[in-house]
Amino acid sequence: MSHVAGIAVVGAGVIGRTHVDTLMRMPSLRLAAIVDPTPEAHALAQTRGVPALPDVEALAGSGLAQAAIVATPNETHLPIAAFLLERGLPVLLEKPVAESLSSALQLADVARRTGVPLLIGHHRRHNPIIRAAHRAIRDGAIGDLVMATVTSSLAKPDSYFAAAWRRTAGAGGPLLINLVHEIDLLRHFFGEILSVQATTSHAHRGFEVEDTAAVCATFAGGGLATLCISDAAVGPWAWDLSAGENLGRFPAHPVSAHLYAGSRGGLSLPDLTLWSSPGLPDWTVELVSDRVPMGKGDPYERQLAHFAELIRDGGTPLVDVRDATANLIVLDAIGRAARTGARVDVDLSPLHEATATGRSEARMHE
Ligand SMILES: NC(=O)c1ccc[n+]([C@@H]2O[C@H](COP(=O)([O-])OP(=O)(O)OC[C@H]3O[C@@H](n4cnc5c(N)ncnc54)[C@H](O)[C@@H]3O)[C@@H](O)[C@H]2O)c1
């Protein structure tokens, strides 16, 4: 890969630091600057030997970077990413694409109008485990999805919530921060979600936002899934705590967090165990298990390598703003289902209308 002039990291908090470290490990890429007004970010820039800038306005005027990774709080995604795209800088924007469907649709308009690459940081899609699972499912290893169970028990320490955005409704909470990853994977594997039912609770932490949610999803293909997520529950049954994606930050417990059962077989993740019936499916016959083969590679490095290709050659992002906005439409439906107690249809038409007309304001839920 040819040399990429320089990538700025905007927002040097938890995940911004992961991006900084990943960039420093990749010889074909160069950390150009850190953009974040805090003293901690300034100190980090000093240790990495790069300029520290207070905001994206200073970055745009500096000419230091050819592209940017945006890892700031969710509610800042639209103004920061739109500002950079308008100035021709390709952006890798952390998930969720925005804090609301309305903001996501506005950003989709900016991306469409400017034509500047915008990759959304659903980094798991770059994980060799996910690549292998997707291939196996696509090739019919489990047949049609019948049922799936996804668990995400993430007991976050109290210090995590010192950043106010993480406990503010409409900005943080485990639906926007964590469940969006699970929705993205389920859609990636099994296609669009037709409708959702949901219950949320904030009984454990008492914040404005939920700490726990239980969701039932119906897929267009007919399968059903349940998702149970909490940022207050102790247990290893979560992708983050079992996949070994970010070993400096999280342990990798030897458990499954996703269970998919289909008409022909079953698959668990992140362990990639495939269960199949030796003959026709029969619950009295012992199943055989095998491990789906996978490649190697760090998902954050692979994501950045893909971003570098987009900067250099253009092309279609692996996760584009439309795809990430569809995740937000599902989250929006989950939020309404939890508030009303009703089953809510997932209406993807705002996405189609935004693409067709360039006027996303036409159909906003909030
Ligand atoms: N892909 C993943 O697995 C993953 C993991 C964690 C967080 N995230 C996402 O990354 C984003 C950041 O999350 P975090 O936990 O790292 O947050 P954080 O609060 O730890 O860090 C955010 C940083 O952004 C800085 N910031 C705020 N406004 C800014 C602005 N206008 N200009 C420049 N800097 C600004 C803050 O000073 C802070 O240092 C969120 O969207 C979150 O959902 C993704």
Side-chain angles (χ1 to χ4, degrees), residues 56-291:
V56 280
E57 285 79 4
L59 177 70
S62 74
L64 284 168
Q66 187 186 338
I69 299 170
V70 176
T72 53
N74 300 334
E75 73 279 13
T76 67
H77 286 187
L78 168 63
I80 292 179
F83 177 89
L84 294 166
L85 293 172
E86 296 280 10
R87 279 146 192 85
L89 289 179
V91 171
L92 163 52
L93 173 62
E94 266 303 339
K95 50 46 62 179
V97 53
E99 84 295 351
S100 71
L101 176 55
S102 153
S103 294
L105 290 169
Q106 289 178 58
L107 188 57
D109 277 355
V110 176
R112 183 196 49 76
R113 181 166 45 73
T114 60
V116 178
L118 172 60
L119 170 66
I120 310 303
H122 281 286
H123 69 276
R124 291 186 194 173
R125 294 260 209 117
H126 304 265
N127 191 314
I129 300 170
I130 298 305
R131 293 289 179 98
H134 186 258
R135 223 174 11 250
I137 292 166
R138 184 200 58 201
D139 293 347
I142 67 170
D144 297 327
L145 178 72
V146 179
M147 54 174 246
T149 295
V150 170
T151 53
S152 190
S153 46
L154 302 164
K156 299 179 183 178
D158 290 346
S159 58
Y160 175 90
F161 298 98
W165 71 270
R166 293 184 174 134
R167 47 189 153 80
T168 304
L175 293 184
L176 268 175
I177 295 175
N178 306 107
L179 191 75
V180 71
H181 282 299
E182 315 300 351
I183 297 295
D184 183 64
L185 287 190
L186 288 179
R187 289 184 50 251
H188 180 50
F189 291 141
F190 305 116
E192 294 302 348
I193 293 171
L194 276 189
S195 65
V196 292
Q197 294 159 284
T199 303
T200 58
S201 164
H202 60 172
H204 192 80
R205 293 199 180 276
F207 292 151
E208 198 182 4
V209 281
E210 75 286 341
D211 53 57
T212 306
V215 177
C216 293
T218 302
F219 290 85
L224 302 181
T226 60
L227 301 95
C228 224
I229 187 163
S230 177
D231 64 24
V234 176
W237 308 284
W239 177 270
D240 312 63
L241 305 184
S242 56
E245 263 184 348
N246 201 335
L247 283 173
R249 220 177 128 212
F250 296 122
H253 301 97
V255 298
S256 305
H258 288 209
L259 307 175
Y260 311 136
S263 54
R264 291 179 43 193
L267 178 67
S268 57
L269 297 182
D271 47 293
L272 279 170
T273 307
L274 179 64
W275 295 89
S276 45
S277 178
L280 288 175
D282 178 345
W283 69 342
T284 65
V285 178
E286 190 170 352
L287 299 172
V288 290
S289 70
D290 205 353
R291 192 62 58 94

Side-chain angles (χ1 to χ4, degrees), residues 320-337:
D320 66 13
V321 62
R322 282 174 47 82
D323 206 354
T325 300
N327 293 332
L328 224 50
I329 289 176
V330 177
L331 278 191
D332 190 60
I334 289 170
R336 277 183 293 132

